[in-house]
């Protein structure tokens, strides 16, 4: 039973990242192209293998050839000759096997170019009433920074990490998502297969990507360009909310961090440590930009860029020694005392 559930889970997981389950126009175009290219290459495969196997069968050595292995077939002109006619240089054949592949390549270039054109984001400037969301995505070793800049023409100014919330489109009301993709260090690649094709995040370059979907729920993805030790631990989560839920989420994220007097001691402990050199908690002196913004840490479902659930136990484990969860990550273990760990976790757990 447990095995069955595990199997069902992994099947659901596979669907989550399948290019054959598109939920957004660019992903649909990519699936159509993939199927078309597959059919064309499958046809070529069967033609080539068909000719090969036909030749092997048709010109196989016959029993009556005797032990002709070492004997030239033409030794006895009256013997049964099994070799096909030997042709040296044939213009029609040369033309055929040059023209046919050239034609196929030409068709593949045309359909690929058409798809590239279809999925190319033609990012308009934000305008009032456009229902569009604009986010700048910055790749880091090994996590994702999301800077929300505009929704429905309203400027936004907050930063979150690893979980991208976007609004669902509805019939008659498309809500396109325009991403600007940049990198803080090395080349990464943003890939959520059910929503759009993968686009690289390159230092010093600004790339763009577009998608929209009516399907609410969680979409999984992954950094798709090797970027160092924890490349495989650079997971991506896109949460597509109903417009109402998304607006509620936006309103919460836009606020500075809650200041709960019950955890004043924990806050003081957090601010006294070097956490604040890398992390930001808006509304406090913690103003680091090197690591994820923690202003609304507890609104995220996972820690360590999607590796573990975001609960008190994992949070404590992470702060105690991040390398137990994500070996080689750039956050060091600070060797905090158990008391101090508890205080800091108490404080962080209030950042909803
Ligand atoms: Cu980032 Cu691979």
């Amino acid at each position: 039973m447990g095995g069955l559930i595990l199997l069902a889970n992994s099947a659901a997981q596979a669907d989550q990242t399948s290019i054959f389950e598109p939920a957004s126009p660019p992903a649909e175009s990519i699936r159509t192209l993939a199927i078309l290219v597959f059919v064309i290459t499958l046809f070529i495969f069967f033609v080539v293998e068909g000719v090969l196997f036909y030749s092997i069968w048709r010109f196989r050595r016959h029993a009556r050839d005797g032990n002709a292995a070492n004997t030239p077939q033409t030794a006895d002109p009256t013997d049964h000759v099994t070799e096909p006619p030997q042709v040296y240089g044939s213009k029609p054949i040369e033309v055929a096997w040059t023209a046919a592949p050239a034609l196929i390549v030409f068709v593949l270039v045309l359909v690929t170019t058409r798809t590239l054109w279809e999925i190319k984001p033609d990012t308009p400037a934000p305008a009032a009433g456009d229902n569009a969301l604009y986010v700048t995505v910055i790749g880091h070793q090994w996590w994702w920074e999301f800077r929300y800049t505009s929704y429905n023409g309203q400027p936004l100014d907050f930063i979150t990490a690893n979980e991208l919330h976007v609004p669902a489109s509805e019939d008659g009301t498309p809500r396109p998502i325009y991403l600007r993709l940049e990198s803080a260090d090395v080349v990464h690649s943003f890939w959520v297969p059910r929503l759009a094709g993968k686009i690289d995040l390159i230092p010093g370059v600004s790339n763009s990507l577009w998608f929209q979907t009516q399907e609410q729920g969680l979409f999984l993805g992954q950094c798709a360009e090797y970027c160092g030790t924890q490349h495989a631990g650079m997971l991506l989560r896109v949460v597509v909310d109903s417009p109402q839920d998304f607006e509620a989420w936006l309103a919460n994220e836009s606020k500075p961090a809650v200041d709960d007097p019950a955890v004043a001691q924990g806050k003081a402990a957090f601010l006294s440590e070097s956490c604040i050199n890398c992390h930001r908690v808006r509304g406090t002196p913690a103003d680091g930009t090197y690591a994820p913004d923690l202003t609304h840490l507890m609104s995220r479902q996972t820690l360590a860029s999607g590796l573990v659930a975001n609960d008190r136990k994992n949070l404590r484990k992470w702060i105690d020694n991040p390398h137990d969860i994500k070996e080689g990550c750039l956050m060091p273990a600070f060797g905090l005392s158990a008391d101090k760990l508890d205080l800091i976790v108490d404080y962080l757990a209030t950042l909803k």
Side-chain angles (χ1 to χ4, degrees), residues 140 142 144 187-189 223-228 231 234:
H140 293 257
W142 292 276
W144 305 91
V187 180
H188 303 272
S189 190
C223 178
E225 183 71 56
Y226 183 72
C227 54
H231 157 67
M234 195 169 165

Side-chain angles (χ1 to χ4, degrees), residues 14-296:
D15 284 346
Q16 266 296 331
T17 51
S18 169
I19 67 156
F20 296 106
E21 302 277 340
S24 162
E28 274 164 31
S29 300
I30 290 169
R31 178 186 58 176
T32 307
L33 176 65
I35 292 174
L36 186 66
V37 170
F38 181 69
V39 167
I40 291 173
T41 50
L42 196 68
F43 173 75
I44 296 170
F45 175 81
F46 278 117
V47 167
V48 171
E49 294 300 304
V51 170
L52 178 65
F53 280 100
Y54 171 77
S55 308
I56 289 171
W57 175 82
R58 171 73 180 76
F59 301 108
R60 70 194 184 283
R61 196 177 69 181
H62 289 273
R64 64 187 137 183
D65 292 344
N67 65 345
N70 300 319
T71 320
Q73 296 279 339
T74 47
D76 177 357
T78 62
D79 196 6
H80 180 79
V81 175
T82 53
E83 267 195 14
Q86 302 298 297
V87 179
Y88 298 97
S90 159
K91 224 174 219 153
I93 292 177
E94 295 277 358
V95 168
W97 74 37
T98 306
L103 195 71
I104 292 167
V105 168
F106 183 64
V107 168
L108 290 176
V109 167
L110 281 187
V111 293
T112 306
T113 308
R114 191 189 62 184
T115 305
L116 283 173
W117 192 259
E118 268 173 15
I119 67 175
K120 188 170 85 75
D122 204 0
T123 312
D130 62 3
N131 288 311
L133 175 68
Y134 292 77
V135 182
T136 299
V137 180
I138 300 170
H140 293 257
Q141 284 176 319
W142 292 276
W143 59 282
W144 305 91
E145 179 180 342
F146 299 125
R147 297 186 178 177
Y148 281 69
T149 54
S150 168
Y151 177 58
N152 204 16
Q154 299 293 314
L156 298 170
D157 187 18
F158 66 83
I159 301 174
T160 180
N162 301 326
E163 291 173 16
L164 180 70
H165 280 254
V166 303
S169 296
E170 289 167 308
D171 283 332
T173 312
R175 293 191 178 82
I177 321 302
Y178 296 107
L179 302 183
R180 240 170 87 123
L181 305 167
E182 296 169 359
S183 171
D185 38 46
V186 300
V187 180
H188 303 272
S189 190
F190 185 98
W191 195 25
V192 182
R194 296 195 59 213
L195 296 176
K198 66 170 97 102
I199 303 282
D200 283 359
L201 297 83
I202 301 167
V205 172
S206 184
N207 278 338
S208 53
L209 184 149
W210 160 84
F211 67 88
Q212 72 184 38
T213 181
Q214 298 206 357
E215 195 178 319
Q216 294 177 24
L218 176 66
F219 293 81
L220 298 178
Q222 152 91 59
C223 178
E225 183 71 56
Y226 183 72
C227 54
T229 313
Q230 279 293 347
H231 157 67
M234 195 169 165
L235 308 178
L236 250 175
R237 298 163 76 84
V238 177
V239 182
V240 181
D241 294 317
S242 70
Q244 297 74 26
D245 286 354
F246 176 70
E247 276 160 34
W249 180 86
L250 267 193
N252 185 58
E253 295 287 321
S254 300
K255 288 187 221 154
V258 286
D259 196 6
D260 185 348
V263 293
Q265 238 192 316
K267 184 179 174 184
F270 173 77
L271 293 177
S272 73
E273 290 295 336
S274 41
C275 316
I276 60 171
N277 295 332
C278 293
H279 292 284
R280 173 188 286 136
V281 177
R282 246 180 314 123
T284 78
D287 202 24
T289 55
Y290 185 67
D293 185 304
L294 303 178
T295 309
H296 296 283

